[in-house]
Amino acid sequence: MEKQTITIYDVAREAGVSMATVSRVVNGNPNVKPATRKKVLEVIERLDYRPNAVARGLASKKTTTVGVIIPDVTNIYFSSLARGIDDVAAMYKYNIILANSDGNTRKEIQVLNTLLAKQVDGIIFMGNNLTDELRAQFERSKTPIVLAGSIDPKGEVESVHIDYVAAVEEAVADLINHGNKRVAFISGSLADPINGQYRLKGYKNVLAKHGIKYDPDLVFETDYSYRAGEVLWPAMVATKATAAYVGDDELAAGVINGAQDSGIKVPDEFEVVTSNNSKLTEIVRPQMTSITQPLYDIGAVAMRFLTKMMNKETMTEKTIELPYGYIKRSSTK
Amino acid sequence: MEKQTITIYDVAREAGVSMATVSRVVNGNPNVKPATRKKVLEVIERLDYRPNAVARGLASKKTTTVGVIIPDVTNIYFSSLARGIDDVAAMYKYNIILANSDGNTRKEIQVLNTLLAKQVDGIIFMGNNLTDELRAQFERSKTPIVLAGSIDPKGEVESVHIDYVAAVEEAVADLINHGNKRVAFISGSLADPINGQYRLKGYKNVLAKHGIKYDPDLVFETDYSYRAGEVLWPAMVATKATAAYVGDDELAAGVINGAQDSGIKVPDEFEVVTSNNSKLTEIVRPQMTSITQPLYDIGAVAMRFLTKMMNKETMTEKTIELPYGYIKRSSTK
DNA sequence: TTGAAAGCGCTAACAG
DNA sequence: CTGTTAGCGCTTTCAA
């Protein structure tokens, strides 16, 4: 009943060669005579030998696994990135250790530490707030790290993202061009740079360009959930806003449904544009106008970027900016 | 610039004790004099020592990581389960290696093998079709495995799920009680036992009980995607069905929107009930009536179950059936 | 309560 | 082209 393990040693003995030779054929080292290779391969097959990745990891100091820190797999934005990450990882023979953090710094740090203890070869971090504490941990560990779908305002950590400022400018400009003078800005915590620094900046830029005064009352800071959007409507009414830019698709779906459930016609009486173009944008009715981001690709490119770092290839850029777009659907006029 | 590693040996030397003692304090072994423990702990702190989990894994033959095979993280049904799994795993100090399989047997087998090579302590499998090939692999490896959100028709592999037959009976009965004589059955591949054996059986049972003849034309076999549901409508019209039971929420959302986009009133002219009560059910308008399943809990319980198996605790049951429910919303009369 | 020593299964020089 | 020999960093008897 023991989990009987066939080791490289068993194979060597059976094949009448040394462990080193077996190791060579397993690792595709060309310095093995074809006949020997064939013999070893046969024994491996016959014994159904499977190399122990843990032992290999200890000896080679490479685990071929990368850590992925994600706020919540259940959020379509993040899971889309994660899918891109995993596909590319698989392509390069890496596995992924996935850990949810709820965007909570304490959890992020704790998770980071266990990931490092497990000797991951690299880390992909999805999260919107790179606190100093976290940054310090990142630096201490010499493990390659890349941010997927967010930016390090200090530009110290490599990342893959879109130009959030420009994207929001385009979205809000569209709203203003439809005659909306009071456009709400709804996002997650403004403490997150992606919201407080980039998106909000884009929003303010456009307001300024159109000579509209910035009104803090139009800024809603909430969390990235459907429910949060749904219950927002009463507060929205009070602001007399006639349109809104929203930083997350689930949140936007909540806003739209909350409005509609209150008898408001979208887009006739209230327009909404969202940010991620996840599949949710097409599921909700009216379908949502959205900034488009290549979510899957952001994850994929981030992972690809990480493989290069793990290979110690020299990078030209620390940051990769992927193109964004804007798609008009039915939640705007 | 080397990734200088502090080892247990360094700590031992600094603290003036043996590696064994350091190992003991790190592992919370009580057989250490308090004074010694304190001293060691101080050195660990000072040197910022972090045990190497890989070495630990090799020596102890436990990696404290479990493999999770998932069809697609991007599907809310599976990601909900995954979240439950990860939370409980974290609670028990396990990490999760997450691998997408697309429900493709070849990928599932390949992934399973790399997971085993990495010496995971256990595996949670989400997937709807346990092929014989896969089953064979499972048996070869003595690694504990549990299915989350699906059943092994042969009852050989442990699993956590709801009573699919009864749940579908209840849902379809509700539809029939509203006067629908022609109720469509829309699901993923009927080759998947969960659809072809359990859900379909529940469907047929209710039909029989109400004296309605089973009509194969009303059975739609497609894939679990929003798009698949959306394009289904023309075919649905041809069957003269007035209601449908759908096996997946995304798929159901597609069916509802496809119908509505064709000018059909839901639920007045066509009723729909779905299966998973994921958050999507409340996002779509009309909100979807659904069988309710404790998705998060299914994942959580599966992981909890797995920890017991990994501890070699004796199990009373091979299968855990969680309660389901039925919630009426607005996609049915 | 503590230490010595033998591995865990594999990789990686270094010889030959 | 192939074998020998050290480890990788930690756990785990077995003695003391």
Side-chain angles (χ1 to χ4, degrees):
Chain A
M1 214 51 203
E2 287 302 288
K3 196 192 285 182
Q4 55 117 164
T5 27
I6 309 284
T7 74
I8 197 173
Y9 179 75
D10 299 315
V11 176
R13 185 168 29 69
E14 282 294 307
V17 299
S18 72
M19 295 168 50
T21 298
V22 177
S23 175
R24 287 191 187 97
V25 348
V26 167
N27 292 297
N29 183 316
N31 292 10
V32 180
K33 191 169 27 166
T36 312
R37 176 186 307 281
K38 183 157 173 292
K39 186 173 54 179
V40 172
L41 251 15
E42 279 169 7
V43 175
I44 286 179
E45 175 78 8
R46 178 155 58 77
L47 266 42
D48 193 28
Y49 165 70
R50 211 190 280 104
N52 178 324
V54 174
R56 217 201 281 237
L58 183 57
S60 69
K61 298 184 165 305
K62 284 188 197 318
T63 54
T64 63
T65 106
V66 309
V68 176
I69 301 177
I70 192 172
D72 182 10
V73 244
T74 257
N75 181 302
I76 185 70
Y77 172 70
F78 295 116
S79 64
S80 299
L81 297 181
R83 188 62 215 259
I85 292 168
D86 188 46
D87 282 0
V88 171
M91 206 171 293
Y92 285 87
K93 309 291 183 199
Y94 280 91
N95 284 107
I96 242 106
I97 295 186
L98 201 279
N100 292 88
S101 70
D102 288 316
N104 169 342
T105 302
R106 221 173 320 287
K107 281 194 195 177
E108 286 170 342
I109 289 181
Q110 193 215 17
V111 153
L112 174 62
N113 280 329
T114 98
L115 251 22
L116 293 176
K118 296 225 166 156
Q119 313 298 117
V120 294
D121 297 334
I123 289 177
I124 292 196
F125 183 80
M126 296 183 252
N128 292 317
N129 198 352
L130 206 53
T131 62
D132 288 336
E133 197 177 355
L134 208 45
R135 185 185 303 280
Q137 298 278 325
F138 279 175
E139 281 170 13
R140 255 191 345 92
S141 82
K142 302 299 300 174
T143 308
I145 292 184
V146 3
L147 306 185
S150 74
I151 309 190
D152 172 12
K154 299 192 182 172
E156 289 168 356
V157 184
E158 2 284 298
S159 62
V160 179
H161 54 256
I162 63 166
D163 181 340
Y164 299 108
V165 176
V168 172
E169 283 176 358
E170 183 167 340
V172 177
D174 187 36
L175 256 18
I176 291 178
N177 290 335
H178 293 174
N180 294 291
K181 298 297 181 201
R182 294 184 65 74
V183 177
F185 176 95
I186 308 174
S187 75
S189 170
L190 293 179
D192 295 352
I194 192 176
N195 297 317
Q197 293 188 38
Y198 301 94
R199 288 169 168 158
L200 190 56
K201 181 175 174 196
Y203 172 77
K204 288 179 175 173
N205 285 166
V206 176
L207 253 38
K209 185 184 300 180
H210 291 261
I212 299 176
K213 184 157 175 298
Y214 169 71
D215 178 356
D217 287 349
L218 286 170
V219 174
F220 290 84
E221 194 175 357
T222 176
D223 54 77
Y224 288 157
S225 74
Y226 173 75
R227 189 88 192 113
E230 205 177 30
V231 301
L232 202 65
W233 193 247
M236 186 63 68
V237 170
T239 68
K240 296 198 169 29
T242 57
Y245 157 79
V246 187
D248 177 83
D249 294 352
E250 265 188 48
L251 183 56
V255 170
I256 288 181
N257 284 339
Q260 292 186 135
D261 291 351
S262 299
I264 301 302
K265 299 251 182 306
V266 176
D268 298 338
E269 303 173 73
F270 193 78
E271 297 183 63
V272 174
V273 23
T274 185
S275 301
N276 305 331
N277 197 40
S278 65
K279 52 186 171 189
L280 212 50
T281 56
E282 304 195 72
I283 293 180
V284 171
R285 291 304 138 96
Q287 293 186 40
M288 301 189 270
T289 291
S290 180
I291 287 168
T292 64
Q293 296 192 46
L295 300 184
Y296 179 92
D297 293 346
I298 289 175
V301 169
M303 183 62 212
R304 178 69 186 96
F305 194 32
L306 186 61
T307 64
K308 289 187 181 173
M309 290 172 70
M310 294 187 295
N311 284 339
K312 301 193 193 323
E313 293 179 26
T314 46
M315 300 303 162
T316 41
E317 300 292 346
K318 259 206 156 177
T319 263
I320 296 184
E321 197 172 282
L322 260 31
Y324 68 88
Y326 188 69
I327 183 169
K328 302 242 355 166
R329 292 205 184 85
S330 317
S331 64
T332 55
K333 291 177 196 163
Chain B
M1 212 53 202
E2 288 301 287
K3 195 192 284 179
Q4 55 116 166
T5 26
I6 309 284
T7 74
I8 196 173
Y9 180 75
D10 299 314
V11 176
R13 184 169 29 70
E14 283 293 308
V17 300
S18 72
M19 294 167 48
T21 299
V22 177
S23 176
R24 287 190 186 97
V25 349
V26 167
N27 293 298
N29 183 317
N31 292 12
V32 179
K33 194 171 21 164
T36 310
R37 176 186 308 280
K38 183 156 173 294
K39 185 174 52 178
V40 172
L41 251 15
E42 278 170 7
V43 175
I44 286 180
E45 175 78 8
R46 179 154 57 79
L47 265 41
D48 193 27
Y49 165 69
R50 211 192 279 105
N52 178 324
V54 174
R56 217 202 280 236
L58 183 58
S60 69
K61 298 182 165 307
K62 285 190 196 318
T63 54
T64 63
T65 107
V66 309
V68 175
I69 301 177
I70 192 172
D72 182 11
V73 243
T74 258
N75 181 302
I76 185 72
Y77 172 70
F78 296 116
S79 63
S80 299
L81 298 180
R83 187 64 214 259
I85 293 168
D86 187 47
D87 282 0
V88 172
M91 206 171 291
Y92 285 88
K93 309 290 183 199
Y94 279 91
N95 284 108
I96 244 108
I97 295 187
L98 201 280
N100 293 89
S101 70
D102 288 316
N104 170 340
T105 302
R106 220 172 320 287
K107 281 194 196 176
E108 286 169 343
I109 289 180
Q110 193 216 18
V111 153
L112 174 61
N113 281 329
T114 97
L115 251 22
L116 293 175
K118 295 223 167 157
Q119 314 298 118
V120 294
D121 296 335
I123 289 177
I124 292 197
F125 183 80
M126 296 183 251
N128 291 317
N129 198 353
L130 207 53
T131 63
D132 289 337
E133 199 177 354
L134 209 46
R135 186 186 302 281
Q137 298 278 326
F138 278 175
E139 281 170 12
R140 258 194 339 96
S141 82
K142 302 300 300 174
T143 309
I145 291 185
V146 3
L147 306 186
S150 73
I151 308 189
D152 171 12
K154 299 191 181 170
E156 290 168 355
V157 183
E158 2 283 298
S159 62
V160 179
H161 54 256
I162 64 165
D163 181 340
Y164 299 107
V165 176
V168 173
E169 283 176 358
E170 183 166 342
V172 176
D174 187 35
L175 257 16
I176 291 178
N177 289 336
H178 294 174
N180 294 291
K181 297 297 181 203
R182 293 184 65 72
V183 177
F185 176 93
I186 307 174
S187 76
S189 171
L190 293 179
D192 295 352
I194 192 176
N195 297 317
Q197 292 187 38
Y198 301 94
R199 287 169 168 159
L200 190 56
K201 182 175 174 193
Y203 172 76
K204 287 178 175 173
N205 285 165
V206 177
L207 253 38
K209 184 184 300 179
H210 289 262
I212 298 176
K213 184 157 175 296
Y214 169 70
D215 178 356
D217 287 348
L218 286 170
V219 175
F220 291 83
E221 194 175 357
T222 178
D223 54 78
Y224 288 156
S225 74
Y226 173 75
R227 190 87 192 115
E230 204 178 29
V231 302
L232 202 65
W233 192 248
M236 186 63 70
V237 170
T239 67
K240 297 195 167 33
T242 57
Y245 157 78
V246 187
D248 178 82
D249 294 352
E250 265 188 47
L251 183 56
V255 170
I256 287 180
N257 284 340
Q260 292 186 135
D261 291 351
S262 299
I264 303 302
K265 300 250 184 307
V266 176
D268 298 337
E269 303 172 72
F270 193 78
E271 297 183 63
V272 174
V273 23
T274 185
S275 301
N276 305 331
N277 197 40
S278 64
K279 52 186 169 187
L280 211 50
T281 57
E282 304 195 72
I283 293 180
V284 171
R285 289 305 139 94
Q287 293 187 40
M288 300 190 272
T289 291
S290 179
I291 288 167
T292 64
Q293 297 192 46
L295 300 184
Y296 178 93
D297 293 346
I298 289 176
V301 170
M303 183 64 212
R304 179 69 185 95
F305 194 33
L306 186 62
T307 64
K308 288 187 181 171
M309 290 174 70
M310 295 186 296
N311 283 342
K312 300 192 192 328
E313 292 179 27
T314 46
M315 301 302 164
T316 41
E317 300 292 346
K318 260 207 156 178
T319 263
I320 297 183
E321 197 172 282
L322 260 31
Y324 67 89
Y326 187 68
I327 182 168
K328 302 244 354 166
R329 294 206 183 83
S330 317
S331 65
T332 55
K333 289 176 197 164

